[in-house]
Amino acid sequence: MKIKYELLKQEKHTKARNGILHTNHGDFETPIFMPVGTQATVKTLSPEELKGINSAVILSNTYHLWLRPGEDIVNKAGGLHQFMNYDGPILTDSGGFQVFSLANKKDISEEGVVFKSHINGEKLFLTPEKSIAIQNKLDSDIAMSFDECPPASASYDYLKNSVERTIRWAKRGKDVHNNINQSLFGIVQGGAYEDLRKYSAIETTKLDFDGYSIGGVANDGESKDDMYKAIDYSIPYLPEDKPRYLMGVGEPIDIIEGVIRGIDMFDCVLPTRLARHGNAFTRHGKINIKNAKYKEDFTPIDDCDCYSCKHYTKAYIRHLIIANESFGARLLSIHNLRFLIRLTEELRLAIKDDRILEYKEEFLKNYEKDRD
């Protein structure tokens, strides 16, 4: 079946909303944070550990799986769920973000994008049709349209042309999408320009996708103010009965601001990337576990219900990270992902109680970014 979104509650004072996402692999309340499993695995975590942190949807990356092991092998395995032994819902991105980071402007044409493989330098060509064909074979629950991901520094004229191309590509992808059990999301672009976001949202929704994403908000160099503008300019033109997904955003404060503005779904590599570098989210901001002050700190990372905080101390995890033991990154990954998933659980409760603004104020009072 295609996914369906059911609106349960609109918060009284904001655009925040609580809903249920009905998928082929279970029903899940929104807002949600989705862990990223780029290469058919969330780094260092097993599917059982993902279940233990109440993970719902996870992401995999079309570009990386196309190159290794190849969509045909995943298809022969029975699709991504069978291949990686994960029975929850999976979303695949289009590969666009990776492709555009590897391509030059001159290599972007109406037909598609020419770029070089990051693995062996091989010349590759990705089109909207090819991206959708790969995702059809991966058999994820949600596929993403192939869009252009211009840099935050792009000019208005470039962004205008890019938005037009993304809309044409969205239609081409939708026309060839042929997995009847897989939902397809459209992507709204347009930088921080109100007229472009409005136009992109209106024209993309005319194509009647199963859900909608706001893209271009996690590119290098974009300010938080521009991110929030992009959301505010897009949301009024997106249907209330379809899920709304903000791509690539994982800072706690940005998740709260996104929810207040009407976003349902978030994803980001940040929690596992931070973990690999010895950093952890806490109620009082991010900490660097490698700091000497944690050498004899025999308390948990945070007041948290995750496996890592129940069983291990900062001193032990610091030892693991300093000694370059992979178990340390794994414990921090479990905690960081649970922190963001728990954050969205608390946001859902705040929406139900019509106290989302009070929740934001309480959270920010304690959360001091980069405390260390």
Side-chain angles (χ1 to χ4, degrees):
M1 71 171 192
K2 298 294 184 78
I3 68 161
K4 291 181 180 178
Y5 176 79
E6 180 185 354
L7 180 62
L8 297 178
K9 164 79 176 179
Q10 176 76 52
E11 207 266 345
K12 191 182 295 183
H13 310 289
T14 67
K15 294 178 181 176
R17 56 198 214 150
N18 168 230
I20 294 183
L21 204 60
H22 300 281
T23 80
N24 295 317
H25 293 86
D27 300 337
F28 302 92
E29 279 196 69
T30 61
I32 57 170
F33 177 80
M34 306 180 288
V36 176
T38 300
Q39 306 196 70
T41 178
V42 176
K43 288 189 186 298
T44 75
L45 269 66
S46 70
E48 292 75 20
E49 286 167 327
L50 289 169
K51 289 245 180 96
I53 58 172
N54 286 352
S55 173
V57 186
I58 64 169
L59 268 72
S60 282
N61 182 268
T62 295
Y63 164 76
H64 286 283
L65 295 177
W66 175 37
L67 268 56
R68 292 185 302 201
E71 70 273 22
D72 289 332
I73 288 177
V74 175
N75 183 249
K76 285 177 184 176
L80 261 181
H81 297 87
Q82 291 288 334
F83 187 58
M84 63 184 291
N85 189 36
Y86 185 72
D87 62 4
I90 300 174
L91 182 153
T92 44
D93 62 14
S94 68
F97 184 82
Q98 288 73 29
V99 166
F100 285 99
S101 68
L102 297 168
N104 297 313
K105 282 185 181 179
K106 66 180 178 61
D107 296 323
I108 303 169
S109 67
E110 185 63 25
E111 186 58 27
V113 187
V114 175
F115 63 101
K116 290 183 178 180
S117 163
H118 75 289
I119 298 172
N120 57 16
E122 177 187 359
K123 189 175 180 181
L124 299 168
F125 186 53
L126 192 60
T127 67
E129 292 84 359
K130 179 65 175 175
S131 172
I132 295 298
I134 295 167
Q135 293 182 80
N136 283 170
K137 285 191 173 182
L138 294 176
D139 198 28
S140 54
D141 297 272
I142 302 170
M144 299 301 299
S145 296
F146 186 66
D147 64 322
E148 183 177 356
C149 306
S153 59
S155 68
Y156 176 89
D157 288 340
Y158 186 92
L159 282 169
K160 186 174 186 297
N161 291 329
S162 174
V163 164
E164 294 277 11
R165 182 185 292 122
T166 287
I167 293 166
R168 292 192 294 270
W169 282 0
K171 185 179 186 307
R172 282 168 53 186
K174 191 169 188 293
D175 286 345
V176 299
H177 183 260
N178 62 9
N179 186 329
I180 60 172
N181 294 316
Q182 184 181 62
S183 298
L184 182 62
F185 279 25
I187 302 176
V188 175
Q189 290 284 0
Y193 295 99
E194 185 172 6
D195 60 329
L196 294 183
R197 285 285 174 181
K198 177 181 177 180
Y199 176 76
S200 179
I202 290 172
E203 294 303 312
T204 304
T205 55
K206 284 180 183 177
L207 297 173
D208 192 27
F209 287 99
D210 301 304
Y212 296 92
S213 175
I214 296 173
V217 298
N219 295 342
D220 290 339
E222 186 180 57
S223 69
K224 285 188 184 295
D225 186 50
D226 283 348
M227 179 195 301
Y228 302 152
K229 282 180 182 177
I231 303 169
D232 290 336
Y233 296 157
S234 305
I235 286 290
Y237 308 100
L238 299 181
E240 289 189 357
D241 63 344
K242 300 283 181 74
R244 303 160 178 172
Y245 163 32
L246 187 65
M247 302 177 76
V249 171
E251 280 285 356
I253 293 167
D254 296 336
I255 290 175
I256 294 171
E257 292 289 355
V259 167
I260 286 172
R261 288 167 165 78
I263 298 295
D264 306 306
M265 304 163 66
F266 302 84
D267 83 284
C268 195
V269 298
L270 185 63
T272 49
R273 180 177 290 166
L274 285 174
R276 294 195 299 278
H277 290 90
N279 296 295
F281 289 122
T282 79
R283 294 284 170 176
H284 302 284
K286 290 198 290 285
I287 65 170
N288 184 342
I289 207 80
K290 292 182 285 189
N291 282 358
K293 65 181 178 179
Y294 300 119
K295 192 172 185 178
E296 296 183 16
D297 188 334
F298 303 112
T299 64
I301 302 166
D302 200 15
D303 179 16
C304 174
D305 61 3
C306 77
Y307 170 81
S308 305
C309 289
K310 284 180 178 178
H311 297 282
Y312 298 98
T313 66
K314 294 189 194 79
Y316 178 65
I317 297 173
R318 178 185 184 275
H319 156 68
L320 295 176
I321 295 293
I322 295 292
N324 202 29
E325 289 286 347
S326 59
F327 189 43
R330 184 170 160 190
L331 290 173
L332 288 179
S333 293
I334 289 170
H335 168 75
N336 284 347
L337 287 168
R338 177 59 190 151
F339 184 92
L340 295 184
I341 290 169
R342 189 178 177 189
L343 173 65
T344 56
E345 291 170 354
E346 292 174 357
L347 287 167
R348 295 200 291 263
L349 291 174
I351 292 168
K352 291 172 184 177
D353 293 337
D354 290 313
R355 58 179 309 275
I356 193 89
L357 294 177
E358 289 89 343
Y359 179 86
K360 172 188 170 182
E361 186 180 348
E362 291 165 9
F363 185 90
L364 293 179
K365 200 179 294 180
N366 295 316
Y367 193 85
E368 301 164 4
K369 190 179 178 186
D370 297 325
R371 184 178 65 176
D372 285 343

